[in-house]
Amino acid sequence: MSFIPTLRYSYLQGSYWFSFSVSYCFVSVFLLANGYTNSEIGIVFAIGGLVAAVLQPLIGNRIDEYGRITMRRVIMIGSIFIMMSAALLCIFSKKQFLLGILFTLITIGLQTIMPFVNAICMECLNRGISVNFGLARGIGSVTYAIASYLIGKLISLYSEGILPYCIIVAFVIVYISAFYFTYHSLQKYSKFKQDADHRGNRASLPSDSEKIPFFSKYPKYLIFLFGVCFIFITHNIINTYLFQICQNLGGGAEEYGTASSICAAIELPTMMLFSQMILRVRSYRLVQISAAFFAIKALMHLFAFNIFGIFLAQLPQILGFALFIPASTFYTNEIMERKDGAKGQTYLISANTTGCVIGSSLGGVILDRFGINAMLFVAFISGLLGLLLFIVGTQKQKAY
């Protein structure tokens, strides 16, 4: 009966990534239409991501899935915060300066809750509740693709002004999904019983291993995190400025939406089959393969000469981002003690977010000063550096 927990978790992943597409991917379209430059758009993403990168580990350190501060509640509170910011966008739609501030707040909320959407699955597995992370995350990619296509069409038919209303609707769904996702309701599907003694053991005196600083216990993981940062510089330069890349080749919001939907849709096979892949190939090797495809994707964008070339350049996503997300999540969970799992996942997403911050800000500046090709060349070099750091910084077994 493991399909029921997977189905429930798929609702959460699907609603979050649908909302991510609505709230993040079309920000450039909205802000460009309201007079913002590429550099200013980069600043919006960078500040939002930087604050989120600070908040993620701070919140992760306070998470207690047996106490009051739970991952589910963090997602619910973040959803309310985003809905309130989007509601203010509807009210102050003519105030140009406020638009950037409000989209910065939305980015903070969106990025902050991301690691906890993933870590909930790892907590389920640690409790003996069987959840197929790859399938659920693949559903997230499908909903992302659907949202990208639909919002691109809606903006073409109406205007970018519809975006704040779509964000509110999307995060109402996220809130509902998180509200109804409880471990208690899934405990009957657990392979072992979570009893009072198990919970009580969490309050016992710390062991010697608990006194060791996190990165002293997992020294190579820090190198791996730098690699994550570099590949997400690559990833975010392309994703943040894909609309401008399409414009440069004669496209618009609809072509951008189509490219984004292709990119997300082809993630599904990899994520659905990940549970079989991880049985045959070690997670550390899978993250190395994924880094190579991030660099290949950047290279294909660099040499794309028309919109069809941009559509074709989305194909490496199938073994790039689509492979990295489940592989890195499992890799982090595999090399760490259970009590360090939530912290490890938040560091992973913080490195992701830091790469997004640098990619957003650097990409916008390079785009304004040197053009599309220079920006994509930097993305390619960053992807190569990420691959090198993955080769050096991944390990085959636990570090303790």
Side-chain angles (χ1 to χ4, degrees):
M1 297 292 285
S2 64
F3 71 91
I4 294 178
T6 298
L7 181 63
R8 295 277 296 279
Y9 183 61
S10 295
Y11 291 155
L12 182 59
Q13 281 280 357
S15 62
Y16 174 77
W17 287 103
F18 185 95
S19 304
F20 189 97
S21 178
V22 175
S23 309
Y24 194 86
C25 297
F26 288 87
V27 173
S28 288
V29 179
F30 189 95
L31 293 180
L32 282 172
N34 284 277
Y36 278 70
T37 66
N38 294 307
S39 297
E40 289 168 342
I41 292 169
I43 290 170
V44 167
F45 282 118
I47 294 174
L50 186 61
V51 175
V54 173
L55 288 177
Q56 287 162 351
L58 290 177
I59 296 172
N61 287 337
R62 294 181 177 274
I63 290 291
D64 180 4
E65 288 300 292
Y66 294 93
R68 297 184 64 183
I69 304 176
T70 66
M71 290 182 276
R72 170 176 162 267
R73 288 176 178 170
V74 169
I75 294 168
M76 291 163 62
I77 292 169
S79 297
I80 293 171
F81 178 79
I82 292 168
M83 285 187 279
M84 291 173 62
S85 300
L88 291 174
L89 270 175
C90 299
I91 297 170
F92 298 109
S93 60
K94 302 301 180 184
K95 305 289 184 181
Q96 186 182 26
F97 178 71
L98 284 176
L99 297 182
I101 294 175
L102 292 170
F103 268 115
T104 300
L105 295 177
I106 289 172
T107 302
I108 290 170
L110 192 64
Q111 297 276 15
T112 299
I113 66 177
M114 184 190 295
F116 306 109
V117 174
N118 291 340
I120 279 178
C121 177
M122 297 301 108
E123 181 62 22
C124 283
L125 295 176
N126 290 335
R127 290 171 182 248
I129 302 168
S130 181
V131 176
N132 187 328
F133 176 82
L135 176 59
R137 183 58 185 80
I139 296 298
S141 294
V142 170
T143 59
Y144 181 105
I146 292 169
S148 297
Y149 183 77
L150 289 178
I151 299 301
K153 284 284 189 182
L154 287 172
I155 290 176
S156 295
L157 288 172
Y158 302 102
S159 75
E160 71 286 341
I162 198 172
L163 195 60
Y165 300 95
C166 294
I167 292 172
I168 294 171
V169 172
F171 273 95
V172 168
I173 300 171
V174 174
Y175 181 91
I176 293 171
S177 299
F179 181 82
Y180 284 106
F181 189 94
T182 62
Y183 302 121
H184 177 73
S185 65
L186 298 175
Q187 205 61 62
K188 58 186 174 181
Y189 304 105
S190 178
K191 297 174 184 176
F192 53 84
K193 185 178 179 182
Q194 296 285 330
D195 54 26
D197 290 338
H198 178 80
R199 291 191 294 270
N201 287 340
R202 291 172 61 90
S204 59
L205 291 174
S207 64
D208 289 341
S209 66
E210 288 176 305
K211 299 175 184 177
I212 302 173
F214 183 85
F215 288 113
S216 295
K217 191 187 296 187
Y218 311 108
K220 293 191 78 173
Y221 193 66
L222 183 60
I223 301 172
F224 170 71
L225 292 179
F226 276 107
V228 173
C229 182
F230 274 106
I231 67 166
F232 273 90
I233 290 173
T234 299
H235 178 72
N236 215 58
I237 283 176
I238 293 172
N239 275 20
T240 302
Y241 300 103
L242 183 57
F243 176 65
Q244 289 89 328
I245 295 169
C246 289
Q247 276 189 322
N248 185 59
L249 297 172
E254 186 171 348
E255 288 76 16
Y256 165 63
T258 301
S260 295
S261 64
I262 292 170
C263 185
I266 63 172
E267 294 174 359
L268 181 60
T270 301
M271 292 184 174
M272 282 187 64
L273 296 173
F274 182 78
S275 59
Q276 283 75 46
M277 294 171 67
I278 196 69
L279 296 175
R280 293 169 174 78
V281 185
R282 298 288 297 275
S283 60
Y284 81 93
R285 187 68 70 194
L286 291 175
V287 294
Q288 292 172 354
I289 292 169
S290 72
F293 277 83
F294 275 94
I296 291 169
K297 182 179 177 181
L299 191 64
M300 289 180 69
H301 277 81
L302 180 60
F303 288 105
F305 296 109
N306 53 38
I307 288 295
F308 179 76
I310 294 298
F311 293 162
L312 201 62
Q314 309 313 308
L315 297 182
Q317 189 87 348
I318 197 167
L319 287 176
F321 184 82
L323 182 59
F324 173 81
I325 293 300
S328 62
T329 302
F330 271 79
Y331 172 73
T332 298
N333 199 54
E334 284 176 2
I335 67 168
M336 293 182 183
E337 295 183 66
R338 178 178 174 181
K339 64 180 180 298
D340 294 325
K343 187 183 294 185
Q345 297 295 339
T346 56
Y347 278 126
L348 174 63
I349 301 298
S350 291
N352 169 332
T353 307
T354 301
C356 291
V357 169
I358 298 171
S360 296
S361 54
L362 183 64
V365 171
I366 295 173
L367 179 57
D368 279 341
R369 295 188 179 182
F370 303 105
I372 292 283
N373 287 339
M375 181 186 73
L376 291 174
F377 179 75
V378 170
F380 171 63
I381 296 301
S382 180
L384 289 180
L385 289 172
L387 173 59
L388 177 62
L389 289 169
F390 274 19
I391 292 170
V392 174
T394 50
Q395 60 194 55
K396 300 180 182 180
Q397 65 278 324
K398 291 180 182 288
Y400 53 89

